[in-house]
Amino acid sequence: MPTVGKPDVEVRRSHRRQSTVSAYRDGGRVIVLIPGQFTRAQEREWVDKMLIRLAAKDSRTRRTDAELTVRAMRLAGRYFGDYGNVAKPASVRWVANQNGRWGSCTPDDASIRISERIRNMPSWVVDYVLIHELTHLIVPEHNARFWSLVARYPKAERARGYLEGVAAAAGSDMYED
Ligand SMILES: [Zn+2]
């Protein structure tokens, strides 16, 4: 997890609040509402908790199917622009069950599915998995031509190592497909 600087936080105490804590963004700052009787220690504890919750919510909502599709289209244009629409997916979505695969592609209808398992991985790893599946729109099988196209993405080897490392550390048999 990347370390992020603490955002500007404003704590508002309310004597009408009994025990509920809530937080929301207001421009660049975070407003945390706490009960008036909270101690300073409770205040610190809850501010930290709410910042973590907000960050988790952000990372979940940022990586939607729509965002994934835009990302895939951008990668297709950038790395496989010479293939025109061939490398452009018709649909890209996150899926929970991928039967051990990081991603999969059906060239017939140009659909791509990406495992939820990589949803919180670094963006360059997500991009690699997308590149891998986009390449399948051009070359269905894993042959020399396939890998030479994948290699257009500069972090391909690094990302493959990252995914292998994650699978090994988790004792899982996730694989590239
Ligand atoms: Zn593959």
Side-chain angles (χ1 to χ4, degrees):
M1 269 250 193
T3 30
V4 279
K6 267 204 177 174
D8 192 7
V9 176
E10 182 185 324
V11 177
R12 290 187 194 156
R13 288 173 171 264
S14 162
H15 290 280
R16 286 202 312 245
R17 271 177 192 266
Q18 296 304 309
S19 59
T20 54
V21 177
S22 61
Y24 62 91
R25 283 184 201 288
D26 182 17
R29 62 209 323 218
V30 173
I31 313 293
V32 182
L33 307 168
I34 61 170
Q37 81 278 7
F38 264 19
T39 63
R40 289 289 160 199
Q42 281 176 307
E43 175 183 321
R44 274 195 302 275
E45 181 195 331
W46 276 95
V47 164
D48 285 348
K49 233 182 244 184
M50 297 315 278
L51 288 178
I52 290 167
R53 270 186 215 173
L54 274 180
K57 196 172 146 203
D58 285 352
S59 73
R60 275 195 308 271
T61 49
R62 209 173 50 235
R63 291 193 168 165
T64 57
D65 286 351
E67 190 269 351
L68 194 65
T69 304
V70 168
R71 209 177 178 84
M73 293 299 275
R74 211 182 291 143
L75 289 167
R78 179 163 177 195
Y79 294 101
F80 304 125
D82 49 336
Y83 287 91
N85 287 333
V86 174
K88 299 238 170 87
S91 77
V92 188
R93 55 195 177 86
W94 293 105
V95 288
N97 186 0
Q98 272 284 84
N99 297 317
R101 297 171 299 183
W102 298 116
S104 65
C105 172
T106 307
D108 286 345
D109 63 2
S111 65
I112 287 172
R113 290 152 304 278
I114 303 293
S115 170
E116 300 263 6
R117 308 259 312 253
I118 69 161
R119 203 165 185 151
N120 293 317
M121 286 187 189
S123 52
W124 54 273
V125 176
V126 176
D127 284 355
Y128 165 71
V129 177
L130 284 170
I131 285 282
H132 184 118
E133 302 311 330
L134 288 171
T135 306
H136 277 311
L137 295 174
I138 307 168
V139 185
E141 64 274 15
H142 293 150
N143 56 20
R145 182 164 167 248
F146 175 88
W147 292 113
S148 75
L149 286 170
V150 165
R152 287 183 177 187
Y153 178 63
K155 288 181 177 149
E157 275 313 304
R158 223 177 119 196
R160 297 188 73 201
Y162 183 100
L163 291 168
E164 277 168 27
V166 167
S172 94
D173 52 0
M174 292 290 287
Y175 66 100
E176 292 191 63
D177 182 37

